[in-house]
Amino acid sequence: MTTVTQLRKAALALPEAEEGTHFGMAAFTVRGKGFASVTKDGYVQLRLPHDGTEAAVAAHPGGERLVRGGTPIGFRVPLAEINGKGLNALVRAAWRERAPKRLAASLAAAESAADAPGGDLPAGIGRPATRALCGAGLTTLERVAAHTESELLALHGVGPKAVRILAEELDRRGLGLRRES
């Protein structure tokens, strides 16, 4: 079972995602295009491509196709009937469907970089922080060291724990974060 808080966290972890309301529902957009919302009765609604909708219907029997004007536009499912991992995957798919192609491609590239060997970022910072750093071109600790703590914290997905781990690893290597001005 997931909650609106988990939906919010999954949606806002994506680049340029914003929260607002749509017809009284909590809604999430990317560059003005809605990709997810939650109804007052606890259904999460996701804008998905046709194949994504069909896969979601097959994977989540409590869900249903979302149709507007006779045209399928996505999927809806009670939050109580979906686990966190499933929700995260659906939210990411909905975001990819609605995000501009270049923005979606930049996220895909950051995810590939996070999975590829060659960088020396510590695994302990977590995947969201790794994706955020790679998306900003910070694939090595040497590049990270050129930034301040507040600059790193400004990256969506990089939190205090990740900064602490990065600072400790930099210290072990005789480096440090750039000082605040």
Side-chain angles (χ1 to χ4, degrees):
M1 179 176 153
T2 57
T3 65
V4 174
T5 301
Q6 289 167 307
L7 170 64
R8 180 173 289 114
K9 183 177 178 183
L12 295 177
L14 296 164
E16 298 189 31
E18 295 181 342
E19 183 175 1
T21 57
H22 184 70
F23 295 110
M25 300 181 287
F28 301 92
T29 61
V30 55
R31 293 202 185 161
K33 291 185 175 184
F35 65 93
S37 61
V38 64
T39 65
K40 291 179 182 174
D41 57 349
Y43 278 81
V44 61
Q45 300 183 148
L46 302 143
R47 294 293 296 259
L48 295 170
H50 178 73
D51 58 336
T53 298
E54 296 309 310
V57 168
H60 307 285
E64 60 191 17
R65 288 170 193 81
L66 191 56
V67 179
R68 182 178 296 147
T71 303
I73 61 166
F75 177 70
R76 65 183 254 137
V77 64
L79 272 172
E81 293 184 22
I82 190 167
N83 66 31
K85 185 176 179 180
L87 178 67
N88 287 346
L90 288 172
V91 168
R92 291 178 80 73
W95 180 90
R96 274 192 306 276
E97 173 67 9
R98 303 291 283 171
K101 289 179 182 174
R102 284 187 180 165
L103 185 59
S106 71
L107 178 62
E111 288 174 336
S112 295
D115 292 335
D120 62 352
L121 299 176
I125 65 173
R127 288 190 48 78
T130 302
R131 280 193 298 267
L133 292 168
C134 289
L138 307 177
T139 56
T140 65
L141 284 170
E142 186 175 309
R143 288 183 178 175
V144 169
H147 295 273
T148 65
E149 181 177 332
S150 57
E151 288 171 338
L152 296 176
L153 289 170
L155 296 172
H156 196 79
V158 178
K161 178 183 175 187
V163 171
R164 179 182 50 77
I165 292 169
L166 288 165
E168 289 170 356
E169 186 61 29
L170 286 166
D171 187 50
R172 273 194 278 283
R173 297 180 185 205
L175 299 169
L177 293 172
R178 195 181 82 203
R179 295 189 190 275
E180 303 283 338
S181 316

